[in-house]
Amino acid sequence: MAASRYRRFLRLCEEWPVEETKQQRDLGSFLRQRVAQAFREGENTPIPDPEACDQMYESLVRIHTNFYKNKYPRLKDTTFTGVTVENCRTVLATDILKQMEDRKKGTWKRLREKFSAKKPEEDLM
């Protein structure tokens, strides 16, 4: 039974899209890492709690297939603020978040980083 569970998780990982805009914060990448950790021995990995494993798989399938989005359709595709899904994706992209972090830095720190030969992380050591 471990082999079939392993194959199901692998199939789910293959189907799950990876968002390139969310580097190191993507659910698809995280899922792949967790499956690799959980099934270190591949099909021969012993599963201590098969019921919990099956429940986790079914939950992930519901997320992947948009089960609840389809079951409870929304009247509008915006939030209460009027922001659309596409706007949220744009704002949450890694590049935009890095730009926002750079804006939070003071002018002196930005200039120091720009003209410094070593990285700012090295200053802390």
Side-chain angles (χ1 to χ4, degrees):
M1 287 301 280
S4 66
R5 285 185 176 92
Y6 175 66
R7 280 187 237 117
R8 288 190 319 173
F9 272 100
L10 282 182
R11 195 175 323 114
L12 181 64
C13 287
E14 288 173 4
E15 293 174 3
W16 204 290
V18 175
E19 286 193 51
E20 298 298 326
T21 60
K22 294 183 181 178
Q23 300 161 352
Q24 299 176 351
R25 299 178 300 117
D26 180 46
L27 185 58
S29 300
F30 179 75
L31 176 64
R32 286 169 179 76
Q33 291 172 354
R34 289 296 304 232
V35 168
Q37 289 173 355
F39 293 96
R40 285 190 184 107
E41 299 173 26
E43 294 181 351
N44 299 327
T45 304
I47 299 174
D49 191 0
E51 290 178 12
C53 181
D54 292 340
Q55 190 175 29
M56 179 68 70
Y57 174 77
E58 293 301 325
S59 296
L60 289 169
V61 166
R62 284 193 298 272
I63 292 171
H64 176 62
T65 60
N66 292 323
F67 176 80
Y68 292 105
K69 180 183 176 187
N70 297 331
K71 186 174 180 180
Y72 304 106
R74 299 180 61 155
L75 299 176
K76 297 180 182 179
D77 286 335
T78 61
T79 63
F80 73 96
T81 60
V83 178
T84 64
V85 174
E86 195 56 42
N87 290 344
C88 287
R89 281 195 183 117
T90 303
V91 169
L92 293 175
T94 303
D95 298 338
I96 300 297
L97 291 176
K98 284 182 182 178
Q99 288 176 5
M100 291 172 65
E101 284 296 318
D102 288 343
R103 287 184 182 173
K104 286 182 183 178
K105 294 179 184 176
T107 305
W108 178 249
K109 190 168 187 172
R110 274 187 277 161
L111 286 173
R112 196 174 104 200
E113 286 177 1
K114 186 174 183 178
F115 295 109
S116 177
K118 57 184 177 179
K119 295 180 182 173
E121 291 85 27
E122 294 174 0
D123 289 343
L124 300 174
M125 293 180 186

